[in-house]
Amino acid sequence: MNVLNDRPALGRRALLAGAAALPAALALPAARAQEGPRTLAIGVVSDPVTLDPAFSGSFFENQVLYNLHETLLVAAPDGSISPGLASFTQPDPQTYAFTLREGLTFHDGTRLDAAAAKANIDRYLDPAVGSIRRADFGPVREVAVTGPLTFELRLSAPYAPLPLVLTNRAGMMVSPTAVKALGADFAAKAVGCGPWKLASWTKNAELVLEKFDGYWRGQEHGFDRLLFRPLPDETVRLANLRSNTLQLIDSVPPQAVATLGREAALRVSQMPSLGFNAFAFNCTRAPFDDPRLRQAFTAAVDPAVIQRVVYFGTGRPAAGPLSPAVPWAFDAELPLRGGKPEEAKALLKQAGANEPVPVAITVTNSPAMVRIAQILQAQAGAAGFKVEVRQIDPTSLITVLRQRDFDLCMAPWSGRYDPDGNMFNYFTKGGPNNFAGYDSEEVTGLLQKARTIADQAERAKLYQQAQRRIAEDAPMLFLHFDAIIQASSAKLTWTQYPDAVFRLYGAKLG
């Protein structure tokens, strides 16, 4: 997927890039949208690739999607589920029955009834559409309308993660009328039913949402407009926060936390992440089609050094895909395997590899990821690898991963409340996020079984077994469970979530 850049957008981006060296008060002129009343300006790492949740595969899109679209069910920061567009009951292990709220409409006036909900879920499930949400629905076999505002999801097997799945992109409802009328243009002109609707989008410059007066929670939006500015340079984001050109920013660099905490006009918000920071090995081609070379690279790298040097002690080193933010499934005894260069050399010798083994590491061009790549380069280099660092734009990452155009590529995950969301799509054969091309009958079987069991303790045992097998096979290099670090004006009231996504209907300034 390519993001088109028009000439005005490129001009604005060049201006932003040059602003990094300017004093905070001079970093950026105020946005046009801030001239109007109640506009919240938000600095994010990257522009979206698509506004269509059916094809959204990048975390960077979530910051816009969760404000433009609404989900059937809603998850609180602690993972508890409440009704969103709908409430649900479970008459039997293979049936979920939903009742939509009365009077719901999409931004274009189309009624959100059971037929519209069915059209959405059928679209996600239709192989001809090719939505990456299809896998999220697991064994859902049928959507049956049972009344004007009621429908059922009928399954071929029990599927414990489904309610939490529907708090995520798979639960977002879009206007069937707009999907049909806009065709391929829906990706850039999406029509949802969230608290804000799309007003304008200048690619790579700014995206503006304006409040939707027909939103089911009422018209008391904290802001009339949300303005998103893609600013990949963390220095530029911080400068514009300090100048109040932005009132909220994502991805605060850990080294800035202490300084920002001493600035009375600002507030730093921090909490454990549901996700993981990891790199996918390309298991489908040399050199990492040999598990011994993956194990060698893993042994060479010390996550504790990365936590200290890159993350300044925030978060914690990772040994697998399940974060301590999901305590019931987290395996605290899963050992860290890195920081052992002699073991790495022995594995290379055992594999008959000719040293140094050439490897390219692909990362986005953010300072933190480049620093991580440089540490990997040095540590793996000392163990017998010859490492080249390849930098790409954040909007290119999902394409590189899907095309497996890499040896070792960053593949971070924002996380899900249910462990199925952190593992099934990444480690089962054919999983849409199985960027590594990992193929394990054992792991696929364990993860398939875990999603059919309601008992949490039994599920936890299966996830721990799967994690230990994954640790042995090393399809991914797990490095860190990041802390979610975001910053705002001290006058802004908002709720932080462990998946790092901004949900801003309740945000208020002053």
Side-chain angles (χ1 to χ4, degrees), residues 128-142:
V129 172
S131 169
I132 60 176
R133 300 276 75 80
R134 185 184 180 201
D136 295 349
F137 286 90
V140 172
R141 62 176 176 83
E142 180 186 11

Side-chain angles (χ1 to χ4, degrees), residues 418-448:
D418 191 288
D420 181 85
N422 282 21
M423 295 186 68
F424 193 89
N425 286 354
Y426 267 86
F427 302 107
T428 55
K429 294 193 297 183
N433 290 355
N434 188 355
F435 306 122
Y438 177 53
D439 187 347
S440 168
E441 293 282 355
E442 179 184 355
V443 170
T444 296
L446 287 167
L447 296 180
Q448 287 175 336

Side-chain angles (χ1 to χ4, degrees), residues 293-434:
L293 270 73
R294 303 196 298 268
Q295 294 163 357
F297 201 100
T298 300
V301 172
D302 188 350
V305 172
I306 290 171
Q307 192 214 14
R308 184 174 66 253
V309 174
V310 179
Y311 294 101
F312 290 77
T314 63
R316 62 184 287 173
L322 294 187
S323 158
V326 187
W328 64 270
F330 175 65
D331 187 352
E333 297 181 3
L334 191 65
L336 295 170
R337 302 188 60 183
K340 302 173 182 177
E342 295 306 316
E343 180 181 325
K345 291 177 182 178
L347 284 164
L348 289 179
K349 184 176 181 180
Q350 179 185 337
N354 295 319
E355 297 185 32
V357 179
V359 173
I361 297 178
T362 302
V363 293
T364 57
N365 52 9
S366 72
M369 294 311 303
V370 172
R371 284 194 293 270
I372 290 173
Q374 290 169 342
I375 293 171
L376 300 184
Q377 185 180 44
Q379 292 183 335
F385 291 88
K386 181 181 180 181
V387 180
E388 168 196 354
V389 176
R390 177 188 172 201
Q391 297 184 41
I392 59 173
D393 186 88
T395 56
S396 303
L397 177 62
I398 192 66
T399 300
V400 170
L401 286 167
R402 286 175 177 166
Q403 294 179 349
R404 295 202 180 110
D405 182 22
F406 62 88
D407 295 328
L408 181 65
C409 183
M410 62 176 282
W413 183 237
S414 59
R416 297 291 182 268
Y417 289 101
D418 191 288
D420 181 85
N422 282 21
M423 295 186 68
F424 193 89
N425 286 354
Y426 267 86
F427 302 107
T428 55
K429 294 193 297 183
N433 290 355
N434 188 355

Side-chain angles (χ1 to χ4, degrees), residues 84-85 107 180 190 220 227 277 313 363 365 411 413 448 451 473 500:
L85 297 171
H107 299 154
K180 183 176 180 179
E220 296 305 312
L227 183 149
N277 197 333
V363 293
N365 52 9
W413 183 237
Q448 287 175 336
R451 54 174 30 187
D473 293 343

Side-chain angles (χ1 to χ4, degrees), residues 142-410:
E142 180 186 11
V143 186
V145 172
T146 55
L149 296 178
T150 59
F151 65 96
E152 292 181 350
L153 296 186
R154 297 171 181 171
L155 286 60
S156 59
Y159 184 40
L162 185 61
L164 279 169
V165 163
L166 296 177
T167 71
N168 213 281
R169 282 175 280 197
M172 291 180 179
M173 299 288 102
V174 301
S175 167
T177 303
V179 168
K180 183 176 180 179
L182 293 170
D185 288 340
F186 188 82
K189 300 177 181 180
V191 177
C193 59
W196 287 274
K197 57 186 178 181
L198 183 65
S200 65
W201 185 10
T202 304
K203 296 288 183 70
N204 296 317
E206 63 182 37
L207 187 150
V208 180
L209 304 181
E210 62 184 18
K211 72 173 183 177
F212 173 43
D213 289 335
Y215 184 54
W216 68 268
R217 295 190 193 187
Q219 297 184 25
E220 296 305 312
H221 299 63
F223 296 92
D224 297 316
R225 290 193 282 187
L226 304 181
L227 183 149
F228 294 88
R229 278 185 162 157
L231 301 172
D233 190 305
E234 61 193 28
T235 307
V236 176
R237 290 199 301 278
L238 288 171
N240 285 279
L241 180 67
R242 287 183 167 117
S243 70
N244 200 40
T245 304
L246 302 173
Q247 292 81 51
L248 177 63
I249 64 170
D250 193 17
S251 299
V252 172
Q255 67 270 25
V257 170
T259 301
L260 289 172
R262 293 191 292 269
E263 299 185 33
L266 304 179
R267 179 182 296 116
V268 178
S269 299
Q270 187 174 169
M271 72 188 310
S273 167
L274 290 170
F276 53 75
N277 197 333
F279 282 69
F281 290 107
N282 191 339
C283 301
T284 67
R285 73 182 191 194
F288 292 129
D289 54 347
D290 187 331
R292 294 170 296 186
L293 270 73
R294 303 196 298 268
Q295 294 163 357
F297 201 100
T298 300
V301 172
D302 188 350
V305 172
I306 290 171
Q307 192 214 14
R308 184 174 66 253
V309 174
V310 179
Y311 294 101
F312 290 77
T314 63
R316 62 184 287 173
L322 294 187
S323 158
V326 187
W328 64 270
F330 175 65
D331 187 352
E333 297 181 3
L334 191 65
L336 295 170
R337 302 188 60 183
K340 302 173 182 177
E342 295 306 316
E343 180 181 325
K345 291 177 182 178
L347 284 164
L348 289 179
K349 184 176 181 180
Q350 179 185 337
N354 295 319
E355 297 185 32
V357 179
V359 173
I361 297 178
T362 302
V363 293
T364 57
N365 52 9
S366 72
M369 294 311 303
V370 172
R371 284 194 293 270
I372 290 173
Q374 290 169 342
I375 293 171
L376 300 184
Q377 185 180 44
Q379 292 183 335
F385 291 88
K386 181 181 180 181
V387 180
E388 168 196 354
V389 176
R390 177 188 172 201
Q391 297 184 41
I392 59 173
D393 186 88
T395 56
S396 303
L397 177 62
I398 192 66
T399 300
V400 170
L401 286 167
R402 286 175 177 166
Q403 294 179 349
R404 295 202 180 110
D405 182 22
F406 62 88
D407 295 328
L408 181 65
C409 183
M410 62 176 282

Side-chain angles (χ1 to χ4, degrees), residues 91-102:
D92 61 67
Q94 293 179 209
T95 306
Y96 289 83
F98 294 85
T99 302
L100 290 161
R101 296 178 184 274
E102 295 185 2

